[in-house]
């Protein structure tokens, strides 16, 4: 039998075994320390300075080659400590800063010793130090899980206080992408005596800190909801060191992949400039949302911007590798170099929280240049614009490519035209995507760096913005071309006319002056238009009193004078009867109810009244070939029709107004003037007649020529086209921009021809159409009753590029279709009035086959070479079109032969109704076409005149 061990030996072994059981799993063992040092384990250590200036020596178990961090409290309970590290020989290893960053490499001889002292040499009391190995992942440092951009993204919550002031987290080598977005949410304490602070550091197992960037939330001294972007090396593990305060605080951390593989990002493709935006909900303050925007080529340049009701949503943009493409901000950014971008949105703490936001993601350029949908300006010698229009969620921006040059300087003037509170802010982008406009209100200052891209976006906080925008060159001429003057044509012109001169050259502008000298007094031409490339200028010069002879021509540009030959003025020719148009403010010339212009009396059955129209209301006493009148029949005693015709001529079968007893009906009439008068005939019963003049045609050459265009809808209050989406209320006025749209030039326009339709009125009323910015007169254009749809042609002067519409009572929707415009540039057609003549009547087969026009049917009428209209050179005809005996409610559109019919209509009627309306329609192939939408109807067309080149 063997001999047993002494009891003392057994007890000693038992105590050693129990002591071993008390050591926490995974904790390093404290090695025996030198006599003046205390052996400590890695992890948290607490000590106390009992005397001022005391230094404690703590001996670590960490081996040579290890890397270690020593974290101390940034405030709160206890004494703030400072730590430095030496090896066993006293050789310095790391400073306090190295240790707090986790970058301390133990290169000396073990054991290594931490020397701890108070930051304040006089301070005594408890302190703490947190030792963390960073060259290997520590088991007591929990993993920070990878999250997504979903609302339930994984996070870790860490608390401090009661002796705890720091934490560590780990990111395993196989659990991260190459670019991560870290978020830390800091719970503000209730106490206010201690200013809160913390720091977050990331370090890999080799002791290298990744490339990280903190994204500050503007206006916040403390990052209570901070974002940090980090580039992480593939296959590397990382330790996160959170250093805070020994005070009750909470810290919530999460991380998300921000490369092309980011989870929770909704993917959409970049759009054209001005396309509808992507919408998103904001969530709570601090909530992160992610949108992945893709584009076909890495060379594409995008414009990314978030709009909301408060301008509070910040964006942070990363490319597909996770590289920061745009730092956190609330305004647009223009990245390039990737086929995809992660757009992260957030409304930081303390910022006003909108319920939702809209993300514009436009592709503004490709490798071949700016986006093709952007208008290409021909020249910016004196600027660009003005542009007018309306931005809304269906059209969120407009753009233009400007041929500017480096050093050009522009003044950007932007204004709202609908009384809105937010004005679009201009952006002028260089090829590198830099916005070169500055300022916070109009006018803005914009510089150019070579070719520029001009962008005008819908601003924050509004769903719609009507605008007028213009760039004015302040260093004229801008662009790459200098001023030059090549030719001035023609070289001959007739006395007694207003001649149009054409100047060719480069960098010509509206400020260019053409002057004629050599006669009794110098003559200065009026510049009426400049081509988009600034190489062709049109100017009109009044030669009505100029004597025949040779006049010297000089062109003056930017103060420099360029002599350019002579203009030979020939004697005046006999008047041809072709006239140009002079618009005037709508003025009432006749009202039989009160005896204005004619005797006070209804016009009886078979009766005629004759109205003098020359020498009144600004109409000259001679040289007038025709007048434009809005004629209204009111309070008729029976069904009848009225014909308007030149005084002293035989009345034809053509009619202008059709009505039933008690009805008020207006219609526009263009009637030749003979003996300075026009006559009005009533067929049956008796009726009061009213006539409002809108303008006249003159042979003196001083008026405007006409340019027909394909009928185009400019305004529809039912859908918000051209103006706000709303009925026009009682006493209300809406103003419509008409220049610079639908092929109408931005300048030189004196009047437009509009077919105006009133629909769904709530009560009987009338509508007046008049020039913007002028006093409205008593003249009216449309009269209607509740529920009625009524069209009428209107020729209205243009002031400030706009016309206005006034409704007298109730509320009504208004539609306006443009048929053409009058211009001072001399490029249009002149008008030749003829005696009103019937060209078409489907009831008897006149002009077309004898048959009603059926549903969806079209008839085509030859209009040249008949009734005195020439066989060629005719650009448009003036027709009074009447729909009669329709079988159902419908509308009729009149349009040029051989062209695509647009949505514009000319007549609206119900079953059994007879409705006339004046139409000015372009002529193509010598013909015009008539389309009926529903049921079947007979159509009549009476010609009043034609336009010719």
């Amino acid at each position: 039998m063997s001999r047993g061990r002494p009891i003392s030996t057994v007890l000693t072994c038992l105590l050693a075994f129990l002591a071993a059981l008390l050591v926490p799993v995974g904790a390093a063992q404290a090695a025996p320390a030198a006599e003046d040092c205390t052996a400590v384990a890695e992890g948290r250590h607490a000590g106390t300075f009992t005397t001022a200036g005391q230094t404690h020596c703590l001996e670590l178990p960490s081996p040579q080659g290890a890397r270690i961090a020593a974290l101390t409290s940034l405030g709160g309970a206890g004494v703030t400590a400072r730590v430095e590290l030496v090896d066993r020989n006293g050789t310095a290893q790391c400073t306090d800063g190295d240790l707090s960053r986790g970058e301390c490499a133990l290169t000396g001889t073990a054991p290594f010793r931490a020397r701890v002292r108070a930051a304040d040499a006089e301070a005594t009391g408890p302190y703490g130090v947190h030792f963390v190995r960073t060259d290997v992942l520590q088991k007591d440092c929990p993993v920070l899980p990878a999250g997504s951009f979903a609302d339930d993204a994984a996070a870790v919550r860490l608390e401090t206080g009661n002796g705890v002031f720091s934490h560590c987290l780990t990111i395993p080598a196989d659990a991260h992408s190459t670019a991560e977005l870290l978020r830390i949410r800091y719970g503000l304490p209730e106490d206010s005596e201690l200013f809160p602070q913390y720091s977050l550091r990331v370090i890999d197992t080799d002791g290298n800190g990744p490339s990280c960037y903190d994204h500050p939330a503007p206006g916040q001294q403390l990052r209570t909801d901070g974002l940090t972007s980090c580039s992480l090396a593939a296959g590397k593990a990382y330790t996160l060191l959170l250093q805070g305060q020994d005070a009750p605080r909470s810290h919530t951390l999460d991380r998300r992949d921000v490369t092309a593989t980011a989870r929770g990002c909704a993917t959409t493709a970049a759009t054209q400039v001005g396309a509808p935006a992507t919408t998103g909900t904001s969530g709570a303050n601090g909530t992160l949302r992610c949108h992945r925007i893709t584009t076909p080529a890495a060379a594409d340049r995008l414009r990314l911007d978030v709009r909301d009701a408060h301008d509070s949503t910040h964006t942070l943009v990363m490319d597909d590798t996770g590289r920061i493409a745009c730092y956190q901000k609330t305004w647009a950014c223009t990245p390039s170099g990737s086929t995809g971008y992660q757009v992260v949105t957030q409304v930081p703490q303390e910022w006003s929280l909108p319920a939702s936001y809209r993300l514009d993601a436009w592709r503004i350029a490709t490798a071949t240049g700016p986006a093709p949908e952007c208008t290409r300006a021909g020249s910016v010698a004196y600027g660009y614009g003005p542009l007018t229009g309306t931005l809304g969620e269906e059209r969120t921006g407009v753009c233009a490519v400007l041929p500017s040059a480096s050093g050009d300087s522009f003044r950007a003037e932007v204004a709202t035209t609908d009384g809105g509170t937010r004005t679009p802010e201009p952006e002028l982008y260089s090829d590198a995507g830099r916005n070169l406009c500055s300022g916070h209100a109009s006018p803005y200052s914009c510089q150019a760096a070579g070719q520029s891209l001009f962008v005008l976006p819908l601003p924050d906080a509004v769903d719609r913005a009507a605008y007028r925008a213009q760039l004015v060159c302040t260093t004229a001429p801008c662009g790459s071309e200098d001023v030059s003057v090549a030719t001035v044509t023609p070289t001959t012109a007739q006395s007694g006319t207003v001649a149009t001169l054409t100047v060719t050259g480069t960098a010509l502008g509206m400020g260019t002056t053409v002057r004629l000298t050599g006669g009794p007094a110098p003559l200065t031409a009026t510049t009426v238009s400049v081509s988009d490339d600034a190489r062709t200028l049109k100017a009109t010069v009044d030669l009505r009193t100029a004597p025949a002879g040779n006049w010297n021509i000089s062109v003056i540009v930017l103060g420099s004078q360029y002599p350019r030959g002579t203009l030979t003025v020939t004697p005046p020719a006999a008047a041809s009867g072709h006239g140009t148009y002079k618009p005037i403010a709508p003025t009432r010339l006749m009202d039989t109810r009160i005896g204005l212009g004619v005797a006070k009396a209804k016009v009886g059955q078979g009766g005629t009244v004759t109205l003098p129209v020359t020498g009144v209301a600004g109409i000259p006493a001679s040289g007038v070939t025709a007048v434009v009148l809005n004629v209204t029949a009111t309070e008729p005693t029976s069904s009848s029709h009225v014909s308007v015709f030149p005084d002293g001529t035989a009345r034809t079968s053509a009619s202008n107004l059709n009505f039933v007893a008690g009805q008020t009906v207006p219609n526009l009439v263009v009637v030749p003037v003979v003996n300075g008068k026009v006559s009005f005939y009533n067929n049956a019963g008796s009726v009061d007649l009213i006539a409002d003049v809108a303008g006249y045609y003159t042979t003196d050459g001083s008026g405007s020529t006409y340019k027909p265009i394909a009928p185009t809808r400019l305004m529809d209050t039912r859908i918000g086209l051209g103006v706000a989406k709303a009925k026009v209320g009682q006493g209300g006025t809406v103003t419509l921009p008409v220049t610079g749209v639908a092929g109408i030039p931005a300048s030189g326009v004196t009047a437009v021809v509009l077919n105006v339709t009133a629909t769904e009125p709530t009560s009987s009323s009338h509508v007046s159409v008049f020039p913007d910015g002028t006093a409205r007169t008593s003249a009216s254009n449309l009269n209607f009753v509740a529920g009625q749809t009524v069209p009428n042609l209107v020729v209205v002067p243009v002031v400030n590029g706009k016309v206005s519409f006034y409704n007298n009572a109730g509320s009504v929707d208004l539609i306006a279709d443009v048929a053409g415009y009058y211009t001072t540039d001399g490029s249009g057609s002149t008008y030749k009035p003829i005696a009103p003549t019937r060209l078409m009547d489907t009831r008897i087969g006149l002009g077309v086959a004898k048959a009603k026009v059926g549903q969806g049917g079209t008839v085509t009428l030859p209009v040249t070479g008949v009734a005195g209209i020439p066989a060629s050179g005719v650009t448009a005809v003036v027709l009074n079109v009447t729909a009669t005996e329709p079988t159902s409610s419908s509308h009729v559109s009149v349009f040029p032969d051989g062209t695509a019919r647009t949505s514009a209509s000319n007549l609206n009627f119900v079953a059994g109704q007879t409705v006339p309306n004046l139409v000015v329609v372009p002529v193509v192939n010598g013909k015009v076409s008539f389309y009926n939408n529903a049921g079947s109807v007979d159509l009549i067309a009476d010609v009043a005149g034609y336009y010719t080149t």
Side-chain angles (χ1 to χ4, degrees):
M1 185 175 68
S2 63
R3 185 179 297 176
R5 294 183 179 178
I7 294 176
S8 59
T9 302
V10 175
L11 289 174
T12 301
C13 292
L14 180 58
L15 291 172
F17 175 73
L18 291 174
L21 290 178
L22 295 175
V23 176
V25 176
Q29 299 294 326
E35 291 182 1
D36 58 346
C37 284
T38 301
V40 297
E42 293 168 354
R44 291 191 177 91
H45 169 76
T48 301
F49 295 120
T50 58
T51 60
Q54 190 175 12
T55 297
H56 285 188
C57 178
L58 306 178
E59 191 166 289
L60 302 175
S62 309
Q64 183 184 40
R67 294 181 182 275
I68 196 164
L71 308 178
T72 59
S73 177
L74 298 177
V79 176
T80 300
R82 295 287 183 264
V83 185
E84 62 180 12
L85 209 65
V86 298
D87 68 1
R88 68 177 298 168
N89 300 318
T91 303
Q93 296 290 289
C94 302
T95 65
D96 183 74
D98 299 330
L99 288 162
S100 66
R101 291 189 297 271
E103 298 173 356
C104 177
L106 304 181
T107 58
T109 304
F112 298 94
R113 294 157 184 166
R115 293 177 177 172
V116 186
R117 58 182 174 80
D120 180 357
E122 301 299 321
T124 60
Y127 68 88
V129 182
H130 186 186
F131 296 104
V132 182
R133 282 276 296 274
T134 59
D135 56 319
V136 291
L137 297 188
Q138 301 298 301
K139 293 181 179 179
D140 58 346
C141 296
V143 172
L144 178 60
S148 75
F149 285 97
D151 285 340
D152 59 351
V156 172
R157 183 184 174 98
L158 305 172
E159 305 288 344
T160 59
N162 295 323
V164 176
F165 51 81
S166 60
H167 289 276
C168 59
L169 296 166
T170 61
I171 301 176
D174 59 352
H176 63 79
S177 70
T178 56
E180 302 261 335
L181 182 64
L182 306 180
R183 179 187 180 195
I184 180 167
R185 283 165 283 171
Y186 186 89
L188 281 173
E190 294 182 0
D191 62 272
S192 58
E193 294 182 358
L194 177 64
F195 182 80
Q197 58 178 316
Y198 68 87
S199 69
L200 179 66
R201 295 180 176 86
V202 184
I203 190 166
D204 68 16
T205 51
D206 291 333
N208 298 315
S211 175
C212 291
Y213 180 83
D214 289 338
H215 301 281
Q220 291 185 339
Q221 187 178 6
L222 174 67
R223 297 177 66 221
T224 57
D225 197 334
L227 300 178
T228 299
S229 297
C230 288
S231 299
L232 306 181
K236 288 287 186 181
Y238 288 87
T239 297
L240 281 69
L241 302 174
L242 175 66
Q243 185 179 14
Q245 297 171 314
D246 186 358
R249 307 282 190 263
S250 64
H251 311 73
T252 304
L253 285 82
D254 53 55
R255 64 182 177 94
R256 297 167 174 84
D257 177 9
V258 287
T259 68
T261 57
R263 293 184 294 130
C265 286
T267 300
T268 55
T271 67
Q272 286 191 337
V273 176
T278 298
T279 60
T281 56
S282 300
N285 281 91
T287 300
L288 298 179
R289 304 292 192 202
C290 181
H291 298 266
R292 174 167 163 76
I293 305 299
T294 60
T295 190
D300 294 347
R301 185 170 298 282
L302 306 188
R303 180 190 179 276
L304 305 172
D305 188 31
V306 169
R307 297 177 284 108
D308 64 57
H310 305 302
D311 193 17
S312 296
T313 304
H314 290 62
T315 56
L316 172 63
V317 182
M318 276 68 59
D319 66 15
D320 272 352
T321 66
R323 179 183 62 87
I324 299 173
C326 301
Y327 292 93
Q328 189 178 27
K329 57 186 177 181
T330 60
W331 57 91
C333 74
T334 53
S336 182
S338 179
T339 57
Y341 300 90
Q342 286 62 253
V343 181
V344 178
T345 66
Q346 182 192 53
V347 180
Q349 299 293 332
E350 309 302 328
W351 284 69
S352 297
L353 180 67
S356 62
Y357 60 86
R358 298 180 188 272
L359 170 63
D360 294 319
W362 302 337
R363 184 168 55 249
I364 61 174
T366 66
T368 58
E373 66 268 20
C374 297
T375 302
R376 265 60 180 170
S379 171
V380 289
Y382 301 92
Y384 178 68
L387 307 176
T388 58
T390 301
L391 299 178
E393 293 304 338
E394 69 282 355
R395 188 187 190 194
T396 54
V398 293
C399 59
V401 183
L402 308 184
S404 52
S406 294
D408 288 348
S409 180
F410 299 95
R411 183 178 67 253
E413 301 170 347
V414 187
T416 59
T417 58
D418 59 357
T421 58
R422 295 295 297 268
T423 303
E425 294 189 9
E427 299 166 351
L428 194 65
Y429 288 108
S430 66
D431 288 341
R434 182 184 174 196
N435 179 16
L436 300 175
C437 286
S438 60
H440 299 287
S442 183
Y444 301 84
S445 176
C446 302
Q447 308 299 315
Q451 176 181 264
S452 303
L453 178 66
F454 177 63
V455 175
L456 198 67
L458 180 65
D460 283 80
V462 295
D463 295 326
R464 185 167 297 275
Y467 65 88
R468 183 185 189 277
Q470 182 174 10
L471 293 178
V472 178
C473 174
T474 60
T475 55
C478 289
S480 59
E481 292 187 328
D482 293 326
V483 172
S484 68
V485 178
T487 62
V488 180
T489 55
T491 56
T492 61
Q494 278 187 348
S495 178
T497 66
V498 176
T500 298
L501 305 178
T502 300
V503 182
T504 63
T506 55
L508 304 173
M510 289 298 293
T512 299
T513 300
V514 182
R515 184 168 296 162
L516 304 182
T517 58
L523 299 177
T524 300
T526 301
T527 300
V528 294
S529 68
V530 177
S531 63
D532 185 58
D533 61 5
R535 295 188 173 196
T536 305
L537 178 146
K538 299 281 187 180
T540 58
V541 59
D542 190 347
L543 301 177
R544 285 176 293 180
T545 60
N550 292 327
W551 295 72
N552 300 315
I553 303 173
S554 293
V555 181
I556 303 167
V557 190
L558 295 177
S560 296
Q561 184 167 309
Y562 302 82
R564 287 297 178 268
T566 59
L567 175 69
T568 300
V569 177
T570 60
S576 66
H578 287 258
T580 55
Y581 183 67
K582 296 281 283 189
I584 60 178
T587 305
R588 185 147 293 174
L589 296 186
M590 179 179 79
D591 191 337
T592 61
R593 300 172 302 180
I594 61 174
L596 176 64
V598 296
K600 180 182 177 180
K602 285 181 181 286
V603 184
Q605 181 169 325
T608 299
V609 292
T610 298
L611 175 70
V613 293
T614 59
V616 296
I619 305 171
S622 62
V624 177
T625 61
V627 288
V628 178
L629 300 173
N630 194 68
V631 180
T632 303
T634 188
E635 299 180 3
T637 60
S638 69
S639 297
S640 180
H641 68 262
V642 164
S643 298
V644 188
F645 58 101
D647 174 58
T649 66
R651 179 176 54 82
T652 66
S653 60
S655 63
N656 299 92
L657 293 94
N658 297 74
F659 44 83
V660 297
Q663 188 180 22
T664 296
V665 173
N667 198 18
L668 197 70
V669 176
V670 182
V671 58
V673 174
V674 174
N675 304 320
K677 306 172 188 174
V678 296
S679 296
F680 301 77
Y681 164 83
N682 174 42
N683 183 62
S686 61
V687 65
D688 275 310
L689 295 178
I690 303 165
D692 300 315
V693 67
Y696 62 91
Y697 291 89
T698 175
T699 57
D700 68 4
S702 64
S704 305
T705 55
Y706 182 68
K707 296 279 284 190
I709 59 177
T712 304
R713 185 146 293 174
L714 294 187
M715 179 178 79
D716 191 336
T717 62
R718 301 172 300 179
I719 61 173
L721 175 64
V723 297
K725 179 182 178 181
K727 284 181 181 286
V728 184
Q730 179 168 325
T733 299
V734 292
T735 298
L736 174 70
V738 294
T739 58
V741 296
I744 304 172
S747 61
V749 176
T750 59
V752 288
V753 179
L754 300 174
N755 194 69
V756 181
T757 303
T759 187
E760 298 181 4
T762 60
S763 70
S764 297
S765 181
H766 68 262
V767 164
S768 298
V769 189
F770 60 99
D772 173 58
T774 66
R776 179 175 55 84
T777 66
S778 60
S780 63
N781 299 91
L782 293 95
N783 297 73
F784 43 84
V785 296
Q788 188 179 19
T789 296
V790 173
N792 197 19
L793 197 71
V794 175
V795 181
V796 57
V798 173
V799 175
N800 305 321
K802 307 170 190 172
V803 297
S804 296
F805 302 75
Y806 165 82
N807 173 42
N808 183 62
S811 62
V812 65
D813 275 310
L814 296 178
I815 304 165
D817 303 314
V818 65
Y821 61 92
Y822 293 90
T823 174
T824 57
D825 68 5
S827 63
S829 304
T830 56
Y831 181 68
K832 177 71 173 178
I834 59 178
T837 305
R838 185 148 292 175
L839 296 187
M840 180 180 77
D841 191 336
T842 61
R843 301 173 300 181
I844 61 173
L846 175 64
V848 296
K850 179 182 178 181
K852 283 181 181 285
V853 184
Q855 180 168 326
T858 300
V859 293
T860 298
L861 174 70
V863 294
T864 57
V866 296
I869 304 172
S872 62
V874 176
T875 59
V877 289
V878 179
L879 301 174
N880 194 71
V881 180
T882 303
T884 189
E885 298 181 3
T887 60
S888 71
S889 297
S890 181
H891 67 261
V892 164
S893 298
V894 188
F895 59 101
D897 173 57
T899 66
R901 178 175 55 83
T902 66
S903 61
S905 63
N906 298 92
L907 293 94
N908 297 72
F909 44 82
V910 297
Q913 187 181 21
T914 296
V915 173
N917 199 20
L918 195 70
V919 176
V920 181
V921 58
V923 174
V924 175
N925 305 321
K927 306 170 188 174
V928 297
S929 295
F930 302 76
Y931 165 83
N932 173 42
N933 184 62
S936 61
V937 64
D938 275 311
L939 296 178
I940 304 165
D942 301 317
V943 67
Y946 61 89
Y947 291 92
T948 181
T949 53

